[in-house]
């Protein structure tokens, strides 16, 4: 029991905290804080940075909201950053309601509201750009909240998070909010390294317990039960928790039935389609079952846009209705208000009537192919409990606030952009984490649908795994490089990049590799001792043995045809010292002395020309420095084939470092080779170790040492490849920039100053197109079309190509854009950098017609674009057009074309959905 003095001190501390900013903030909340929220908020109150890792729906954002409250109490600014515009809009509305619209601003790239307010909500890219531009808006900044900070693992956009964390001023404190990750302490250690003291607060506790089920037909089976068969929370391995034996038995019975029916399996029933597998519930049955158990509102993840739309259509066709007349009236009112800005001529194209009918019945789809205004309407109605069942793709799991009473996974496999892959435990947890609304539901429910071959133990493994490591995707970009060099100089920039989380993780992994390398070195030393021979030098004997083997193998291959005393083969990479074909070439045909070429080899030059080498241009030192594989379908007349082969040559040379011959330049005659072999074998037999009675044992240890040495060399190469890998990539980026005159040592050139203001995956290609005037003379539609080729990426290979833009000038501009890209790509391959994605013309015709003023129906005709895709790619094109306009100058012809294109693209459904 505490003493009176201790109780008095504790009471005083509580009173003091109640009077503090934290106490005043807590007093405004309609709920009590959990322990992890209090711990994190106290770290903020103490002026420390903090990393909060907790499950979806646990209430992490309360900590970010307190950081805003604390900053205002200190009289300093706070920035609240999010990964997507929809989340920024949502957070802006919440903070404006809490602090007043005069106190809160919004910056998303498209929209600027009250940008100099003490609290500004923005996308992370906006803050990155402000830092590089040294924006005066950064003045007085005290706190930055980075919501969904685990986005730094995103391979396309993740680098932005690390750039911001690294470059913020030292006195700015960072509050990082992350989904549950298993290496939170590692991430926190890095944050402490680059930002100063950072508290790491981890919670795996869900405030709303989550029950796990499998739905078979219309029956919900609990996934985890106790020995009496009663449902339990928990995971296998804990006391009295097991996978439901009923489900295990059901899976075995289905497996046996499938084996017995296998001879006829695969054939659809006569006169109809393939039947649904036994136990697999229909989508209508899923919704009706959830409704019958009181588990709506629910999200059913389908992992296919077409599947989401088909599910809604199936429910409509069945006559399913989940709403009351009063709710239907309210749904119509909200939907009409939120789509009022969309031109009536476009509503038919958007299938507005069918969409509204589904909403009024409490049903909706949610995926990236929907018009943003439609998606946002669904989100609002779902949050208000008016839409009861949403069929969604996994994009819904990315930050949008749509908690549900239940979450259903239709399948445990999804398309990852390249192949159909099993869901990971992390993906399972992120998706099902939306089940259970804090303050509304006492429990949440995760439901997996029965499917042929479903393994209950596999489902249990997904539901119980707690290992979700956060991996950095950071790498230097061209724009990042010139911004860094201009700000701090090249050497300091290199040092800054070495502080990235990517390098932090690489260096930590090197510790394990170094330990492995030490063990291998010790083993090699032991093997060396064990293979020693008391009769003589065993190393000398081994060298003689290898020399004898090499000589005999060379003789076994027989004599080879020589050209200029060098041995050439198809695919050899050689350097021609002089003449018309001087430089690096690939041998396509070694030549035949009796053939039409007269013995002159046919080669592909580094500038992709086909040539024959006159023998008088080649000296006796001719030999291959590397070898590349020439595809069987290589076509000499195909420019693409030639370009790809030259790229292989540059990669092969770069991989070898300083090129050196790897075949004998002078191959001896057969008879002289025979004599050499006899001589080496004689020396081998005369060696003292040859007669050792333990020679076989010595050779066994020598063989072990050879294998260990090879492994050791591989480990050393891995260590060398990871240590300072980010700085090396930065050096390679700078070499490309120097070769194109964007950098001159520590100086950013005039061209580099332009590149500083370009933010795109194709930043260097855009800069080169502007520099060369590739887009000069284009009208607004033509410019939009040409620019779109550098932002658009088809969702899948083989997608139908949209009609090309009309007009010779735009066709030439698009060809020249591709030519510039090819030159940049060749440089990237030469410097061992990942190539910039190739221009894609799939959106050019669509945006060209839209910019010319055509209607949505006519624009989308002949393409496979959904309205949502169309709007998204229009937005991406607008981003680059904005940069082109700013860099070209408003009065220049190109600036005028860009400004005109912006106004013509930002209309209709695009204007109505620009957030």
């Amino acid at each position: 029991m505490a003493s009176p003095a201790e109780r008095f001190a504790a009471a005083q501390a509580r009173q003091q905290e109640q009077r503090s900013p934290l106490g005043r903030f807590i007093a405004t909340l309609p709920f009590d804080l959990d322990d992890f929220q209090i711990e994190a908020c106290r770290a903020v109150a103490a002026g420390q940075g903090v990393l909060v890792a907790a499950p979806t729906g646990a209430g992490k954002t309360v900590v970010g909201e307190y950081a805003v409250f604390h900053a205002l109490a200190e009289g300093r600014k706070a920035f609240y950053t999010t990964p997507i515009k929809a989340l920024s809009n949502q957070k802006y509305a919440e903070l404006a309601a809490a602090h007043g619209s005069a106190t809160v601003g919004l910056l998303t790239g498209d929209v600027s509201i009250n940008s100099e307010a003490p609290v500004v909500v923005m996308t992370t890219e906006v803050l990155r750009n402000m830092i590089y531009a040294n924006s005066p808006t950064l003045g007085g900044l005290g706190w930055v909240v980075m919501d969904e900070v685990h986005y730094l693992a995103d391979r396309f956009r993740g680098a932005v998070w690390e750039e911001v964390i690294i470059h913020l001023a030292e006195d700015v404190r960072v509050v990082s909010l992350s989904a549950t990750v298993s290496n939170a302490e590692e991430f926190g250690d890095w944050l402490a390294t680059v930002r100063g003291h950072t508290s790491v607060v981890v919670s795996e506790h869900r405030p709303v317990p989550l029950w796990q089920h499998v739905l078979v037909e219309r029956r919900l089976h609990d996934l985890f039960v106790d020995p009496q068969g009663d449902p339990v929370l928990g995971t296998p391995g804990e006391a009295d928790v097991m996978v439901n034996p009923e489900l295990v038995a059901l899976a075995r019975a289905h497996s046996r039935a499938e084996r017995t029916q296998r001879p006829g399996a695969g054939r659809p029933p006569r006169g109809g389609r393939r039947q649904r597998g036994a136990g697999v519930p229909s989508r209508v049955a899923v919704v009706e079952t959830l409704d019958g158990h009181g588990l709506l509102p629910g999200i059913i993840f389908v992992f296919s846009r077409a599947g989401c739309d088909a599910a809604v259509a199936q429910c409509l066709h069945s006559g399913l209705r989940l709403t009351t007349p009063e709710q239907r009236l309210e749904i119509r009112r909200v939907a009409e208000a939120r789509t009022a800005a969309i031109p009536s001529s476009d509503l038919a194209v958007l299938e507005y009537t069918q969409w509204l009918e589904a909403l009024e019945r409490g049903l909706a789809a949610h995926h990236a192919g929907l018009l943003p205004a439609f998606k946002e309407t669904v989100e609002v109605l779902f949050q208000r409990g008016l839409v009861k069942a949403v069929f969604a793709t996994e994009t819904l799991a990315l930050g949008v606030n749509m908690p549900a009473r239940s979450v259903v996974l239709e399948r445990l496999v999804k398309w990852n952009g390249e192949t159909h892959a099993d869901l990971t435990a992390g993906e399972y947890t992120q998706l099902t984490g939306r089940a259970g609304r804090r303050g509304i539901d006492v429990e949440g429910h995760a439901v997996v649908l029965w499917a042929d071959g479903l393994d209950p133990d596999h489902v249990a493994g997904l539901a119980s795994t707690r290992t979700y490591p956060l991996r950095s995707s950071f790498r230097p970009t061209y724009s990042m490089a010139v911004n860094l060099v201009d700000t701090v100089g090249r050497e300091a920039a290199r040092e800054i990049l070495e502080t990235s989380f990517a390098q932090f993780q690489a260096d930590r992994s090197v510790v394990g590799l170094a330990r492995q390398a030490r063990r291998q070195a010790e083993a090699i030393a032991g093997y060396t001792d064990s293979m020693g021979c008391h009769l003589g030098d065993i190393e000398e004997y081994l060298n003689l043995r290898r020399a004898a083997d090499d000589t005999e193998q060379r003789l076994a291959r027989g004599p080879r045809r020589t050209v200029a005393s060098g041995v050439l083969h198809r695919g050899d990479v050689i350097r021609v010292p002089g003449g018309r074909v001087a430089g690096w070439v690939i041998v396509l045909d070694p030549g035949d002395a009796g053939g039409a070429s007269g013995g002159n080899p046919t080669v592909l030059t580094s500038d992709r020309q086909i040539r024959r080498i006159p023998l008088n241009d080649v000296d006796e030192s001719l030999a291959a420095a590397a070898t590349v594989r020439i595809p069987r379908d290589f076509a000499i007349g195909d420019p693409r084939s030639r370009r790809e082969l030259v790229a292989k040559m540059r990669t092969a040379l770069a991989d070898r470092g300083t090129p050196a011959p790897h075949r004998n330049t002078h191959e001896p005659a057969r008879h002289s080779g025979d004599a050499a072999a006899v001589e080496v074998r004689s020396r081998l037999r005369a060696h003292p170790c040859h007669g050792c009675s333990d020679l076989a044992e010595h050779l066994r240890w020598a063989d072990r040492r050879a294998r260990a040495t090879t492994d050791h060399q591989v480990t050393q190469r891995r260590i060398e490849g990871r240590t300072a890998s980010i700085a090396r990539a930065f050096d390679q980026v700078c070499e490309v920039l120097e070769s194109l005159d964007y950098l001159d040592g520590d100086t950013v050139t005039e061209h580099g100053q332009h590149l500083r203001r370009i933010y795109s995956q194709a930043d260097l290609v855009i800069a080169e197109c502007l520099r060369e005037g590739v887009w000069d003379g284009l009208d607004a539609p033509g410019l939009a079309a040409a620019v779109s080729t550098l932002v658009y990426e088809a969702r899948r290979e083989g997608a139908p190509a949209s009609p090309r833009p009309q007009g010779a000038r735009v066709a030439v501009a698009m060809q020249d854009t591709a030519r510039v890209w090819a030159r940049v790509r060749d440089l990237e391959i030469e410097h061992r950098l990942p190539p910039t994605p190739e221009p894609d013309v799939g959106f050019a015709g669509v945006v060209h017609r839209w910019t010319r003023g055509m209607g949505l129906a006519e624009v989308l005709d002949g393409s496979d674009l959904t309205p949502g895709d169309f709007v998204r790619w229009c937005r991406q094109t607008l981003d680059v057009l904005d940069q082109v306009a700013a860099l070209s100058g408003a009065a220049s012809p190109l600036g005028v074309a860009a400004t005109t294109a912006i106004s013509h693209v930002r209309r209709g459904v695009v204007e109505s959905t620009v957030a």
Side-chain angles (χ1 to χ4, degrees):
M1 180 181 294
S3 67
E6 289 171 335
R7 290 198 300 272
F8 178 74
Q12 277 195 320
R14 284 195 300 272
Q15 289 176 0
Q16 185 175 357
E17 185 170 81
Q18 287 169 0
R19 291 193 296 268
S20 69
L22 177 55
R24 297 198 303 273
F25 172 75
I26 292 174
T28 67
L29 301 176
F31 52 84
D32 294 332
L33 293 182
D34 291 341
D35 290 344
F36 87 91
Q37 294 168 319
I38 293 173
E39 181 185 353
C41 287
R42 283 176 176 166
V44 173
Q48 302 169 2
V50 63
L51 166 64
V52 184
T56 300
K60 297 184 293 290
T61 55
V62 166
V63 183
E65 289 160 4
Y66 173 62
V68 170
F69 187 96
H70 184 83
L72 291 173
E74 286 185 322
R76 302 193 71 182
K77 285 184 179 180
F79 288 171
Y80 197 112
T81 73
T82 76
I84 54 177
K85 294 175 184 177
L87 196 53
S88 291
N89 295 337
Q90 191 176 82
K91 208 68 212 177
Y92 166 72
E94 293 172 2
L95 290 174
H99 300 285
S101 57
T103 304
V104 184
L106 175 67
L107 288 172
T108 63
D110 296 321
V111 169
S112 175
I113 300 173
N114 201 14
S115 62
E116 297 302 320
V119 178
V120 183
V121 182
M122 62 186 68
T123 50
T124 317
E125 280 87 352
V126 169
L127 178 53
R128 187 272 312 273
N129 298 351
M130 289 170 62
I131 291 171
Y132 281 149
N134 197 23
S135 169
T137 303
L138 295 167
L141 180 62
W143 292 85
V144 169
V145 179
M146 305 200 78
D147 205 351
E148 309 281 352
V149 74
H150 52 270
Y151 256 77
L152 65 78
D154 184 88
R155 66 191 182 101
F156 297 112
R157 299 172 57 208
V160 176
W161 274 256
E162 291 191 49
E163 287 179 80
V164 169
I165 291 169
I166 290 170
H167 296 308
L168 280 170
E170 283 187 23
D171 63 336
V172 176
R173 293 289 173 261
V174 177
V175 175
S176 303
L177 309 179
S178 171
T180 305
V181 292
S182 55
N183 60 336
E185 286 76 13
E186 178 189 41
F187 185 44
D189 288 347
W190 174 69
L191 287 170
T193 301
V194 295
R195 301 298 322 161
H197 187 79
T198 301
S199 294
V200 178
V201 179
V202 177
S203 174
E204 294 189 8
H205 171 69
R206 282 183 51 91
V208 180
L210 181 65
W211 296 89
Q212 306 281 343
H213 311 277
V214 175
L215 179 61
V216 186
E217 284 293 351
R218 291 175 177 262
R219 182 183 171 193
L220 275 176
H221 292 259
D222 297 297
L223 181 59
F224 299 126
V225 297
D226 64 15
Q228 289 72 46
D230 295 324
V232 291
L233 292 167
T235 58
E238 297 180 8
D240 296 334
V241 178
M242 65 179 71
V243 178
N244 191 339
E246 279 191 30
L247 283 173
V248 175
L250 195 60
R252 288 173 180 165
H254 275 263
S255 179
R256 284 194 299 270
E258 183 181 328
R259 285 196 299 271
T260 59
Q261 296 172 6
R262 189 163 292 159
R267 291 195 298 270
R270 188 175 300 173
R273 295 174 297 177
R274 186 187 301 275
Q275 292 177 330
R276 178 183 301 276
V280 180
S282 70
R283 286 160 173 163
V284 174
V286 169
V287 177
E288 290 178 340
T289 303
L290 293 178
D291 192 28
H293 283 79
L295 298 184
L296 295 180
I299 299 170
I300 300 97
F301 285 106
V302 177
F303 303 135
S304 157
R305 295 180 179 187
C308 291
D309 294 335
V312 173
Q314 289 159 14
C315 290
L316 285 175
H317 183 71
S318 74
L320 186 63
R321 190 183 299 278
L322 304 171
T323 53
T324 65
E326 294 76 17
Q327 288 173 329
R328 290 196 285 277
L329 288 173
E330 180 64 9
I331 288 169
R332 177 176 285 270
R333 187 190 66 78
V334 172
E336 288 178 345
R338 297 190 70 88
T339 58
I342 299 175
S344 57
S345 59
D346 292 340
L347 291 178
V349 183
L350 300 170
E351 298 183 339
Y352 173 80
T353 302
Q354 298 93 311
W355 172 74
L356 182 58
E357 181 187 357
L359 286 181
E360 290 180 337
R361 293 191 184 193
L363 302 161
H366 189 289
H367 54 73
L370 283 178
L371 195 71
F374 283 19
K375 278 199 303 181
E376 291 159 13
T377 303
V378 171
E379 291 162 13
V380 168
L381 292 172
F382 192 85
Q383 290 166 22
R384 293 174 57 177
L386 295 170
V387 166
K388 312 294 185 178
V390 171
F391 295 90
T393 59
E394 71 273 17
T395 55
L396 179 57
L398 303 178
V400 180
N401 182 25
M402 282 181 63
R405 182 166 296 163
S406 64
V407 164
V408 178
L409 300 184
E410 190 174 75
R411 300 176 65 201
L412 296 178
V413 174
K414 72 179 183 72
W415 178 256
N416 64 9
E418 297 177 356
T419 185
H420 285 94
D422 291 339
L423 279 186
T424 66
E427 290 167 334
Y428 181 95
T429 299
Q430 184 178 32
L431 294 167
T432 59
R434 292 195 170 276
R437 299 165 296 176
R438 186 168 187 173
I440 302 174
D441 301 317
V442 296
E443 58 190 26
H445 298 263
V447 181
V448 174
L449 300 192
W450 182 263
D452 292 337
L454 184 77
D455 180 1
D457 287 322
H458 175 64
V459 181
L462 292 176
S464 58
T465 301
R466 295 290 180 265
T467 302
Y468 325 115
L470 183 63
R471 297 292 176 215
S472 171
S473 61
F474 181 86
R475 68 176 182 84
T477 65
Y478 299 110
S479 179
M480 183 195 305
V482 290
N483 273 291
L484 281 172
V485 172
D486 195 64
T487 305
V488 299
R490 190 153 166 178
E491 191 55 39
R494 211 172 179 275
E495 293 173 1
I496 286 172
L497 292 175
E498 286 179 331
T499 67
S500 66
F501 186 44
Q503 191 59 58
F504 186 82
Q505 288 189 309
D507 290 342
R508 285 203 164 189
S509 68
V510 166
V511 174
L513 287 174
R515 190 180 302 115
Q516 181 180 338
R518 283 196 300 273
R519 287 198 299 266
Q520 290 168 339
E522 290 167 1
I524 290 168
Y527 296 151
T528 302
D529 290 340
S530 298
M531 65 187 247
C533 180
H534 67 287
L535 295 179
D537 186 346
I538 194 70
E539 291 281 5
E540 184 180 68
Y541 180 80
L542 289 170
N543 289 335
L544 283 171
R545 187 183 174 106
R546 278 192 290 268
D549 290 344
D550 290 346
T551 302
E552 290 176 356
Q553 287 174 9
R554 186 171 66 249
L555 290 173
R557 290 194 295 265
R560 292 178 178 173
R561 174 182 49 78
T562 63
V563 176
S565 300
V567 181
L568 293 184
H569 302 279
R570 179 174 166 85
D572 281 349
V573 177
I574 61 174
R575 186 176 184 84
V576 180
R580 292 186 302 108
V581 196
W584 289 107
V585 300
I586 305 169
V587 177
L588 301 179
D589 179 0
D592 183 350
S597 66
N600 295 337
T602 303
V603 299
L604 175 65
T605 67
S606 58
D607 58 355
R608 302 193 288 276
Q609 302 298 312
I610 305 297
R611 296 284 186 266
R612 286 206 179 110
I613 307 176
L615 291 182
N616 57 8
D617 285 350
V618 182
D619 62 27
E620 291 189 353
S621 65
L622 179 65
T627 304
V628 297
R629 190 181 70 81
I630 300 176
R632 287 184 183 177
D633 59 353
F634 174 76
I636 284 180
D638 179 18
R640 184 185 182 91
S641 295
R642 296 201 302 266
R643 183 171 68 244
E644 289 176 349
L645 196 55
V646 168
K648 285 185 180 180
M649 174 179 72
R650 288 178 170 149
T651 300
L653 289 172
D655 285 344
R656 293 186 64 85
T658 304
H662 63 284
R663 293 197 179 97
N664 290 338
T665 306
H666 303 283
E667 183 166 345
R670 181 65 180 239
H671 66 275
S672 61
D674 290 338
V678 170
E679 194 271 334
V680 172
R681 282 293 173 189
S682 297
R683 290 173 58 198
L684 184 68
R685 286 191 294 270
H687 195 280
C689 293
H690 190 70
C692 180
S693 59
D694 295 326
L695 180 60
E697 184 70 11
H698 298 327
L699 294 180
R700 275 195 295 273
W701 285 111
D703 183 56
R704 292 182 185 179
R705 187 186 71 163
R707 289 199 299 270
T709 300
T710 300
D711 292 342
H712 185 59
Q713 291 168 344
V714 170
T715 302
Q716 292 285 27
R717 283 197 295 271
R718 290 175 66 192
I719 291 173
E720 292 164 4
R722 294 186 185 189
T723 304
S725 55
I726 301 298
R728 257 204 316 278
F730 173 71
D731 290 340
Q732 292 161 336
V733 166
C734 288
E735 288 166 8
V736 170
L737 292 172
E738 281 191 314
S739 71
L740 293 174
D741 193 32
Y742 287 91
L743 284 179
D744 182 5
D746 259 13
T747 303
V748 177
T749 66
E750 181 182 353
H751 302 305
Q753 292 296 337
H754 286 157
L755 179 57
R756 283 191 66 191
R757 298 161 62 191
I758 299 175
Y759 302 104
S760 167
Q761 194 175 1
D763 49 8
L764 184 56
V765 178
I766 292 169
E768 284 288 276
C769 286
L770 290 173
R771 178 180 176 179
E772 292 190 15
V774 166
W775 300 330
D776 290 352
L778 287 171
D779 59 9
L783 180 60
V787 162
S788 77
T789 66
L790 296 178
V791 300
Y792 177 71
E793 294 179 31
R795 288 187 62 228
R796 61 184 184 277
E797 290 187 13
S802 65
R804 293 293 185 92
Q806 299 297 312
R809 178 67 190 94
V810 66
V812 170
M814 288 167 59
Q815 290 171 358
D816 286 345
T817 300
R819 173 183 53 78
V820 169
W821 166 81
R823 191 177 71 246
V824 169
R825 176 179 177 272
D826 287 348
L827 274 172
E828 289 170 329
I829 291 171
E830 181 180 335
H831 291 276
R832 304 179 72 179
L833 288 168
T836 299
E838 186 171 3
D840 191 322
V841 300
F843 188 60
V846 172
V847 76
H848 188 267
R849 287 184 290 182
W850 179 253
T851 314
R852 285 167 53 200
M854 293 185 180
L856 185 63
E858 190 176 3
V859 163
L860 295 182
D861 183 41
S863 81
D864 70 337
L865 288 169
T866 65
D869 290 331
F870 169 72
V871 170
R872 184 170 70 259
W873 292 118
C874 279
R875 286 180 173 179
Q876 296 282 336
T877 303
L878 284 169
D879 283 345
V880 177
L881 287 171
D882 278 330
Q883 295 172 43
V884 170
L887 288 166
S888 303
S892 71
L894 185 58
V896 170
T899 303
T900 304
I902 290 167
S903 65
H904 289 185
V905 172
R906 191 177 276 136
R907 67 179 176 87
V909 291
V910 178
E911 172 66 18
S912 69
T913 55
V914 170

